Amino acid sequence: MSTPKTPAAARPISRFPVPALQDLPDDIRGRILAVQEKTGFVPNVFLALAHRPDEWRAFVAYHDALLAREMRSPDNPHGCGLTKGEREMIIVATSAANHCLYCVVAHGAILRIVEKAPLLADQLAVNPLKADITPRQRAMLAFALKVANDSAALVDADYEALRRQDFSDEDIWDIGAIAAFFAMSNRLANLTAMRPNDEFYLMGRVPKAKG
Amino acid sequence: MSTPKTPAAARPISRFPVPALQDLPDDIRGRILAVQEKTGFVPNVFLALAHRPDEWRAFVAYHDALLAREMRSPDNPHGCGLTKGEREMIIVATSAANHCLYCVVAHGAILRIVEKAPLLADQLAVNPLKADITPRQRAMLAFALKVANDSAALVDADYEALRRQDFSDEDIWDIGAIAAFFAMSNRLANLTAMRPNDEFYLMGRVPKAKG
Amino acid sequence: MSTPKTPAAARPISRFPVPALQDLPDDIRGRILAVQEKTGFVPNVFLALAHRPDEWRAFVAYHDALLAREMRSPDNPHGCGLTKGEREMIIVATSAANHCLYCVVAHGAILRIVEKAPLLADQLAVNPLKADITPRQRAMLAFALKVANDSAALVDADYEALRRQDFSDEDIWDIGAIAAFFAMSNRLANLTAMRPNDEFYLMGRVPKAKG
Amino acid sequence: MSTPKTPAAARPISRFPVPALQDLPDDIRGRILAVQEKTGFVPNVFLALAHRPDEWRAFVAYHDALLAREMRSPDNPHGCGLTKGEREMIIVATSAANHCLYCVVAHGAILRIVEKAPLLADQLAVNPLKADITPRQRAMLAFALKVANDSAALVDADYEALRRQDFSDEDIWDIGAIAAFFAMSNRLANLTAMRPNDEFYLMGRVPKAKG
Amino acid sequence: MSTPKTPAAARPISRFPVPALQDLPDDIRGRILAVQEKTGFVPNVFLALAHRPDEWRAFVAYHDALLAREMRSPDNPHGCGLTKGEREMIIVATSAANHCLYCVVAHGAILRIVEKAPLLADQLAVNPLKADITPRQRAMLAFALKVANDSAALVDADYEALRRQDFSDEDIWDIGAIAAFFAMSNRLANLTAMRPNDEFYLMGRVPKAKG
Amino acid sequence: MSTPKTPAAARPISRFPVPALQDLPDDIRGRILAVQEKTGFVPNVFLALAHRPDEWRAFVAYHDALLAREMRSPDNPHGCGLTKGEREMIIVATSAANHCLYCVVAHGAILRIVEKAPLLADQLAVNPLKADITPRQRAMLAFALKVANDSAALVDADYEALRRQDFSDEDIWDIGAIAAFFAMSNRLANLTAMRPNDEFYLMGRVPKAKG
């Protein structure tokens, strides 16, 4: 009657076969090792999706095109107008709307770290209307959630609401495209029953001790 | 464009007036001080609802009648057939279905502590189908979520599904009544925009250092 | 093929055991006898919930805290700003949204009597937009129904709509708290398949003959 | 703040112009007078829809084709397999699903009279699962409600469930066609904000005194 | 594994018995032959519904009352204010909302022909917000879709939105009544699994060669 | 009051800037020219998404990884187990669920051509339950639609239903991944209000004349 005591390590991270790191093509393994070096562990999404190398490559390329872009600046006029934190807010809020455990937990961790905001991810996951964000960010999430939940109903007024908050059309593309990309990612994670690494749950919650 | 930096302490915990501890009737203040001594802080629900003392008393009495009962045992044949952890699972899962930030965060903390399961509350809040629980607990939550979401559609088959998992009729009452009580609590928290104490977010996530 | 002819008296009033009046604790029996004297019969909710005396006491205390309060007046500045009829309107409309047979039928009877309005309960139960009520009452029900159906989506504009109709913040608490309390009551009635007393259906429909 | 005291007679029965009886074409006026003679008053649907005589004629012809048919019998092998009461059950349950005040109130009255069942209409209007009907009638209403709510999802299994309850294919047509006809009627009543006659609310609730 | 190669002619056009043309009553057969002469084939709806002659007659009379009316003009002041194309737009859009294959395909064909607009029916069937229509027609469809999907929620503002687009009250009746009539038709077609004639799919898509 | 007569060529194909073919990077222009040569025109998706070259490349790579794979065969054991037609069925059915005009129209054309089935796309777009497909294909679409509409609710039984129809786990990945990819594509098309080329509407409807 108690909760199962299977050690987490013994629980599958996908409903589908998960390749061993050493069996992966060089480019994929290389990227994964780089992530591992930076993060300290291999996020399960990299292994679970590597079951299909071509899809993995396209997925990671798409991810990078949206999320690895530097911010817009005088030196980088084609950069992204959204901060890294704002992009993660979109991901957490829309992934929660899709009940995607992997993306809420993994990107919740990133959001906490990037924003140095240990409460924000849980707030966004449960109810974005109750999160400690600005009215401008609230407008951004309202649009992103409409893309996630009912994109067919988007009308001029939705775009104008963002422009009134000084979002440019390029920003609107980013807001919508990130919500659209995670509409796919959430479904892939739900399809594979992708399990978040245990490490993500605690990341960004405890202030780092000073040196 | 950055997230607001108002210190959490400065943010209101309710849309309605919140009484000061010293202004409360003795019985209410006494109970609150007892909770404070045990928990280390005063959970905001006790202050926010104390705006209406009579409703506070009924709320706390109802809470205790459902959640403070000891478990059933040979010495306590009228005890509750659900473990404290299972009762908290019902609360977290149904409160997430109602997008109640206060209850998910506060009872998520209790669940983590009671079950010594630092991942479980987040799993239940995002997608109960992906939580590390037993099939019996999964049946319990399916029933609780039907009470929360669509109680009018309950039919014999729903009760039989619980009996097949060895839940007694008294257990079924408890599952349903806890879901019903939090249907009210969640709405009160959403009505008042009740803010969870910051302390709850981290509780039960970090293993206690041994003495 | 005809409808069943089981006499109503033979039909169970709850899926769970129903205690006999004489087996109940004195305080509970006393209150029930007082209701019986006033109403002429014992409403089934008092018997069905008495299966759990502690929950019964909390339920009745909560009920009284919200619904037994006298109206606000110069002599009673902390009274309730809603008329008894308005409180019953909230109950009937939200209970209908939750498809709760017991609460619609029992509180429909009370509403008809209190408001001397034999048509009103049926109108509210089928479609509140078609009921013979004032625009102010319509705003009250719109808020109550949002608490019942989608409390997580409450935003400032919902509160402002009530203030524009001269509802005070205390009134808003009452509207929301009554809707929240019946979110619980409706679920308890649906959980137990609580059967309304046959007497309720006709009460308040026929004008009393003059003496 | 009190409920409006406009006498019911002063309240409009339609958002659209309502013709006077004497201005109607002979055939329409004749039918209406016949109904008045039988019922004691003119049900508002006959007047509200008479704004469009050709549509009125088609509406009444359709109504009669479905609802005025005698029951199947050895002498009437092409009669309807559903009792008059069962046809009214379908109307009340699906009209409640469509929140159509006129049809729930008017056909609720007919149902109470035909079935000599003063409680049944209210039960069906609030929650068909709680109504005092047979399992066979419950299956009939499940099918009718699927036609009303989600006819595109009808599959073989829905038809088989009725056949298992000894409904013939002709009966299934009747169940579905009545639900379909009231899908139209409910929308016409909601479009016109058709007001039920006050008389309907009480009909069939009080046992007739014996002569 | 390939799609079934049953010739279309061999596939049933209804779940219910379909009468042979020669077995039908004279009036019904006469009308059907007239349609056949004009259209070149017998639309299946005429045969499938003829299983019930009285219902067929009422259905066709209702159809004609709404859709066969000539347009309003100085010579015909009681004509219909909607063009034939606009009436078909309402039918296609609401039938798509009801996922009615027969009505979308058959009336899509009529719409393409009447409007000489080969793309319009597919646009309306998939997403009316993306169709090449005027803002006034968009308002018309928004009202019609509310009648189809949620007629109980119609409020004054919905009627005013149409009046602002210069729709008269008679026009509003037509918009609503057509949506209501197809609420019934769609359910009858779904109930019978009515199969559209293959001919409809291509009609109005290819410009006619000049003589 | 008539439908707008703006020539289609004058209507924007995206809410966002659309690059001219000659301004695009070589690799993108090359691929587009290849498609143009094969199809006879440039599908608008290639131009509308090229506003963001990096996202274009990832999108096309992902598309090819899922849809350009050859079928599984003795010589190609890692090929795709779904026919090209089946993959297009998934696209049309899920895109219709998302009300994505571009994808329904463009992939509807491909489906008609690949399957030599001029009616199939319209059937799937309006109601997949009424399409002329095999029971195995029906199970495939039920799973794909669950991925599209409610992926969080996927449970073991959904996978088992596919295995009973002899779909392998690799096939299940393909069904789910295609539905997931179009969850993204549909949202991108709705975000940009992407307009389908007029050519698509007629493709595959008219049998080719023999040589």
Side-chain angles (χ1 to χ4, degrees):
Chain A
M1 209 175 308
S2 64
T3 49
K5 298 301 180 193
T6 319
R11 298 207 186 95
I13 67 167
S14 170
R15 285 176 177 274
F16 295 86
V18 178
L21 197 52
Q22 68 269 22
D23 297 337
L24 287 170
D26 284 355
D27 63 323
I28 294 179
R29 193 175 58 246
R31 171 71 182 257
I32 291 178
L33 291 172
V35 173
Q36 185 178 29
E37 185 159 321
K38 187 178 165 200
T39 310
F41 61 93
V42 181
N44 289 337
V45 64
F46 287 98
L47 296 174
L49 294 188
H51 175 56
R52 290 281 183 98
D54 286 347
E55 296 167 40
W56 188 99
R57 290 184 186 101
F59 182 92
V60 171
Y62 219 129
H63 174 278
D64 290 353
L66 290 168
L67 298 172
R69 285 166 72 211
E70 291 304 311
M71 276 204 67
R72 193 158 56 218
S73 70
D75 291 351
N76 182 21
H78 295 296
C80 180
L82 309 176
T83 67
K84 299 225 161 177
E86 286 167 343
R87 290 177 248 177
E88 296 297 328
M89 289 177 205
I90 295 169
I91 298 169
V92 172
T94 60
S95 298
N98 289 323
H99 302 289
C100 175
L101 183 63
Y102 187 89
C103 298
V104 169
V105 169
H107 286 275
I110 301 175
L111 174 58
R112 284 190 296 268
I113 291 170
V114 169
E115 285 282 310
K116 296 186 182 28
L119 314 185
L120 188 52
D122 292 351
Q123 293 170 343
L124 289 172
V126 179
N127 188 341
L129 292 175
K130 297 295 191 303
D132 296 327
I133 55 176
T134 65
R136 187 173 185 268
Q137 288 164 344
R138 217 174 290 286
M140 174 187 81
L141 293 183
F143 188 92
L145 285 164
K146 189 160 182 181
V147 172
N149 293 328
D150 194 14
S151 67
L154 286 167
V155 290
D156 290 352
D158 297 305
Y159 298 77
E160 285 153 19
L162 287 186
R163 289 184 197 117
R164 271 199 305 277
Q165 292 280 359
D166 275 328
F167 285 106
S168 70
D169 278 14
E170 291 307 302
D171 297 339
I172 296 175
W173 179 293
D174 279 306
I175 295 167
I178 293 169
F181 179 70
F182 279 85
M184 176 175 69
S185 305
N186 295 165
R187 282 162 178 79
L188 291 171
N190 281 333
L191 171 71
T192 58
M194 197 183 289
R195 184 178 174 85
N197 306 59
D198 290 6
E199 289 88 342
F200 282 127
Y201 289 81
L202 191 58
M203 285 169 66
R205 294 187 184 273
V206 189
K208 286 193 181 171
K210 292 184 183 174
Chain B
M1 208 174 310
S2 63
T3 50
K5 298 300 180 194
T6 318
R11 298 211 185 92
I13 67 167
S14 172
R15 285 176 177 273
F16 295 86
V18 177
L21 197 52
Q22 67 270 22
D23 298 337
L24 288 170
D26 284 354
D27 62 323
I28 295 180
R29 193 176 57 249
R31 170 73 183 256
I32 291 179
L33 291 173
V35 172
Q36 186 177 30
E37 187 160 319
K38 185 178 166 199
T39 312
F41 60 94
V42 181
N44 289 337
V45 64
F46 287 97
L47 297 173
L49 293 188
H51 176 55
R52 293 279 182 100
D54 286 348
E55 296 167 39
W56 188 100
R57 289 185 186 100
F59 183 90
V60 171
Y62 219 130
H63 173 277
D64 290 353
L66 290 168
L67 299 172
R69 286 167 71 210
E70 291 304 311
M71 276 204 69
R72 192 159 54 219
S73 69
D75 291 350
N76 182 21
H78 296 296
C80 179
L82 308 177
T83 67
K84 299 224 162 178
E86 285 167 343
R87 289 178 250 179
E88 297 297 326
M89 289 178 204
I90 294 169
I91 298 170
V92 172
T94 62
S95 298
N98 288 323
H99 302 287
C100 175
L101 184 62
Y102 187 88
C103 298
V104 170
V105 169
H107 286 276
I110 302 174
L111 173 59
R112 286 190 294 269
I113 291 169
V114 170
E115 285 283 310
K116 296 186 181 31
L119 314 185
L120 187 53
D122 293 350
Q123 293 169 344
L124 288 172
V126 179
N127 188 341
L129 292 175
K130 298 295 192 304
D132 296 327
I133 53 176
T134 64
R136 188 172 183 268
Q137 289 164 343
R138 217 174 289 286
M140 173 186 80
L141 292 183
F143 188 93
L145 286 164
K146 189 159 183 182
V147 172
N149 293 328
D150 193 12
S151 67
L154 286 167
V155 289
D156 290 352
D158 297 305
Y159 298 77
E160 285 154 19
L162 287 186
R163 289 186 196 116
R164 271 199 305 276
Q165 292 281 357
D166 274 328
F167 285 106
S168 70
D169 278 15
E170 291 307 301
D171 298 339
I172 296 175
W173 179 294
D174 279 305
I175 295 168
I178 293 169
F181 179 70
F182 279 86
M184 176 175 69
S185 305
N186 294 165
R187 282 163 179 80
L188 291 172
N190 282 333
L191 170 72
T192 57
M194 197 183 289
R195 184 177 173 85
N197 306 59
D198 290 6
E199 289 88 341
F200 282 127
Y201 289 81
L202 191 57
M203 285 167 67
R205 293 186 184 276
V206 188
K208 287 195 181 171
K210 293 183 184 174
Chain C
M1 210 174 306
S2 65
T3 49
K5 297 300 178 194
T6 317
R11 296 209 187 92
I13 67 166
S14 170
R15 285 177 177 273
F16 294 87
V18 178
L21 196 52
Q22 68 269 23
D23 297 337
L24 287 171
D26 283 355
D27 62 324
I28 295 180
R29 192 175 60 247
R31 170 72 183 257
I32 291 179
L33 291 173
V35 172
Q36 186 177 29
E37 186 160 319
K38 187 179 164 199
T39 311
F41 60 93
V42 181
N44 289 338
V45 63
F46 286 97
L47 296 174
L49 292 188
H51 175 56
R52 291 279 183 101
D54 286 347
E55 297 166 40
W56 187 99
R57 291 185 185 100
F59 182 91
V60 171
Y62 219 130
H63 174 277
D64 290 354
L66 290 168
L67 298 173
R69 285 164 73 211
E70 291 304 309
M71 275 204 69
R72 195 158 53 218
S73 70
D75 290 349
N76 182 22
H78 297 295
C80 180
L82 309 176
T83 67
K84 299 225 162 178
E86 285 166 344
R87 288 177 250 178
E88 297 297 327
M89 290 178 203
I90 294 169
I91 297 169
V92 172
T94 61
S95 297
N98 288 323
H99 303 287
C100 175
L101 183 63
Y102 187 88
C103 299
V104 170
V105 170
H107 286 275
I110 303 175
L111 174 58
R112 285 190 295 268
I113 292 169
V114 169
E115 287 282 311
K116 297 185 182 29
L119 314 184
L120 188 53
D122 293 350
Q123 293 170 344
L124 288 173
V126 179
N127 188 343
L129 293 174
K130 296 296 190 304
D132 296 329
I133 54 175
T134 64
R136 188 174 182 268
Q137 289 164 343
R138 216 173 291 286
M140 174 187 80
L141 292 183
F143 189 93
L145 286 164
K146 189 159 181 181
V147 172
N149 293 329
D150 193 15
S151 67
L154 286 166
V155 289
D156 290 351
D158 297 305
Y159 298 77
E160 284 153 20
L162 287 186
R163 289 185 196 116
R164 270 198 306 276
Q165 292 280 357
D166 275 328
F167 285 107
S168 69
D169 278 15
E170 292 307 301
D171 297 339
I172 297 175
W173 178 294
D174 279 306
I175 296 167
I178 293 169
F181 179 70
F182 279 85
M184 176 174 69
S185 305
N186 295 165
R187 282 162 179 79
L188 290 172
N190 281 332
L191 171 71
T192 58
M194 197 183 288
R195 183 177 173 87
N197 306 60
D198 289 6
E199 289 88 341
F200 282 127
Y201 288 82
L202 191 58
M203 286 168 66
R205 294 187 184 274
V206 189
K208 287 193 182 172
K210 293 183 185 175
Chain D
M1 209 173 307
S2 64
T3 50
K5 298 300 177 192
T6 319
R11 297 211 185 92
I13 67 166
S14 170
R15 284 176 178 273
F16 295 86
V18 178
L21 198 51
Q22 68 269 23
D23 297 338
L24 286 171
D26 284 353
D27 61 324
I28 296 180
R29 193 176 57 249
R31 170 71 183 258
I32 290 179
L33 290 173
V35 172
Q36 186 178 29
E37 186 160 317
K38 185 179 165 201
T39 310
F41 60 95
V42 181
N44 289 337
V45 63
F46 286 97
L47 297 173
L49 293 189
H51 176 55
R52 293 280 183 97
D54 287 347
E55 297 167 39
W56 189 100
R57 290 184 185 99
F59 182 91
V60 171
Y62 219 128
H63 174 278
D64 290 353
L66 290 168
L67 299 172
R69 287 164 71 209
E70 291 304 310
M71 274 206 69
R72 193 160 54 220
S73 69
D75 290 351
N76 182 21
H78 296 295
C80 181
L82 309 177
T83 67
K84 298 225 164 178
E86 285 167 343
R87 288 177 250 179
E88 296 297 327
M89 289 178 207
I90 294 170
I91 297 170
V92 172
T94 61
S95 298
N98 288 324
H99 303 287
C100 175
L101 184 63
Y102 187 89
C103 299
V104 170
V105 170
H107 286 276
I110 303 174
L111 173 58
R112 285 189 295 268
I113 291 168
V114 169
E115 285 282 311
K116 296 184 183 31
L119 314 185
L120 188 53
D122 293 350
Q123 293 170 344
L124 288 172
V126 179
N127 187 343
L129 293 174
K130 298 295 190 304
D132 296 328
I133 53 176
T134 64
R136 188 173 183 268
Q137 289 164 342
R138 216 174 291 286
M140 173 187 82
L141 292 183
F143 188 93
L145 286 165
K146 189 160 183 181
V147 172
N149 293 328
D150 193 14
S151 68
L154 286 166
V155 289
D156 291 351
D158 297 305
Y159 298 77
E160 285 153 20
L162 287 186
R163 289 184 196 117
R164 269 198 306 276
Q165 293 280 358
D166 274 327
F167 285 107
S168 71
D169 277 15
E170 291 308 301
D171 297 339
I172 297 175
W173 180 293
D174 279 305
I175 296 167
I178 293 169
F181 179 69
F182 278 86
M184 177 174 69
S185 305
N186 295 165
R187 282 162 179 79
L188 291 172
N190 282 332
L191 171 71
T192 57
M194 196 183 289
R195 184 177 173 86
N197 306 60
D198 291 5
E199 289 87 342
F200 283 127
Y201 288 81
L202 191 57
M203 286 169 64
R205 294 187 184 275
V206 189
K208 286 194 181 171
K210 292 182 183 174
Chain E
M1 210 174 309
S2 65
T3 50
K5 298 301 178 192
T6 318
R11 297 209 186 92
I13 67 165
S14 170
R15 285 177 176 272
F16 294 86
V18 177
L21 199 50
Q22 68 270 21
D23 298 337
L24 287 170
D26 284 354
D27 61 325
I28 295 180
R29 193 176 57 249
R31 169 73 181 257
I32 290 178
L33 290 173
V35 173
Q36 185 177 30
E37 185 158 321
K38 187 179 165 200
T39 311
F41 60 95
V42 181
N44 289 337
V45 63
F46 287 97
L47 297 173
L49 293 188
H51 175 56
R52 292 280 184 99
D54 287 347
E55 297 167 38
W56 188 99
R57 290 184 185 100
F59 183 92
V60 171
Y62 219 129
H63 173 279
D64 290 353
L66 290 168
L67 299 172
R69 287 164 71 211
E70 289 305 309
M71 273 205 71
R72 193 160 55 219
S73 70
D75 291 351
N76 183 21
H78 296 295
C80 180
L82 309 176
T83 66
K84 299 225 163 178
E86 286 167 343
R87 289 177 251 179
E88 296 297 328
M89 288 178 206
I90 294 169
I91 298 169
V92 172
T94 61
S95 297
N98 288 324
H99 303 287
C100 176
L101 183 63
Y102 187 88
C103 298
V104 170
V105 169
H107 286 275
I110 302 174
L111 173 58
R112 285 189 296 268
I113 291 168
V114 169
E115 285 282 312
K116 295 185 182 31
L119 314 185
L120 188 53
D122 293 350
Q123 293 170 344
L124 288 173
V126 179
N127 187 343
L129 293 174
K130 298 296 192 302
D132 296 329
I133 55 176
T134 64
R136 188 174 184 268
Q137 289 164 343
R138 216 174 291 286
M140 174 187 80
L141 293 183
F143 189 92
L145 286 164
K146 190 160 183 180
V147 172
N149 293 327
D150 193 14
S151 68
L154 286 167
V155 289
D156 290 352
D158 297 305
Y159 297 78
E160 285 153 20
L162 287 186
R163 291 186 195 114
R164 271 199 305 277
Q165 293 280 357
D166 275 327
F167 285 106
S168 70
D169 278 15
E170 292 307 302
D171 297 339
I172 296 175
W173 179 294
D174 280 306
I175 296 168
I178 293 170
F181 179 70
F182 278 86
M184 176 175 69
S185 306
N186 295 166
R187 282 162 179 80
L188 290 172
N190 282 331
L191 170 72
T192 57
M194 197 183 288
R195 184 179 174 86
N197 306 60
D198 290 5
E199 289 87 341
F200 282 127
Y201 288 81
L202 191 58
M203 285 169 65
R205 295 187 183 276
V206 189
K208 286 193 181 172
K210 293 182 184 176
Chain F
M1 209 173 309
S2 65
T3 49
K5 298 300 179 193
T6 319
R11 297 210 187 92
I13 67 165
S14 171
R15 285 177 178 271
F16 294 87
V18 177
L21 197 52
Q22 68 271 24
D23 297 337
L24 287 170
D26 283 355
D27 62 323
I28 295 179
R29 194 177 56 249
R31 170 72 182 258
I32 291 178
L33 290 173
V35 173
Q36 186 178 29
E37 186 159 319
K38 187 179 165 199
T39 311
F41 60 94
V42 181
N44 289 337
V45 63
F46 287 97
L47 296 174
L49 293 188
H51 175 56
R52 292 279 183 99
D54 287 348
E55 296 167 38
W56 188 100
R57 290 184 186 101
F59 183 91
V60 171
Y62 219 130
H63 174 277
D64 290 353
L66 290 169
L67 299 172
R69 286 165 71 210
E70 290 304 311
M71 274 204 69
R72 193 159 52 219
S73 69
D75 291 350
N76 182 21
H78 297 294
C80 180
L82 309 176
T83 68
K84 299 225 163 178
E86 285 167 342
R87 288 177 252 178
E88 296 297 328
M89 289 178 205
I90 294 169
I91 298 170
V92 172
T94 61
S95 297
N98 289 322
H99 302 287
C100 175
L101 183 63
Y102 187 88
C103 299
V104 169
V105 170
H107 286 276
I110 301 174
L111 173 58
R112 286 189 294 270
I113 292 169
V114 170
E115 285 282 312
K116 294 186 182 30
L119 314 185
L120 188 53
D122 292 350
Q123 294 170 343
L124 288 172
V126 178
N127 188 342
L129 292 175
K130 298 295 192 303
D132 296 327
I133 54 176
T134 64
R136 188 173 183 268
Q137 289 164 342
R138 216 173 291 285
M140 173 187 80
L141 292 182
F143 188 92
L145 286 164
K146 189 159 184 182
V147 171
N149 292 328
D150 194 13
S151 68
L154 286 166
V155 288
D156 291 351
D158 297 305
Y159 299 77
E160 284 153 21
L162 288 186
R163 288 186 196 116
R164 271 199 304 275
Q165 292 280 358
D166 275 327
F167 285 106
S168 70
D169 278 15
E170 291 308 301
D171 297 339
I172 296 175
W173 179 293
D174 279 306
I175 295 168
I178 292 169
F181 180 70
F182 278 86
M184 177 174 69
S185 305
N186 294 166
R187 282 162 180 80
L188 290 172
N190 281 333
L191 171 71
T192 58
M194 197 183 288
R195 185 178 172 85
N197 307 59
D198 290 6
E199 289 88 341
F200 283 127
Y201 289 81
L202 191 57
M203 287 169 65
R205 294 188 184 275
V206 189
K208 286 195 182 171
K210 293 184 184 174

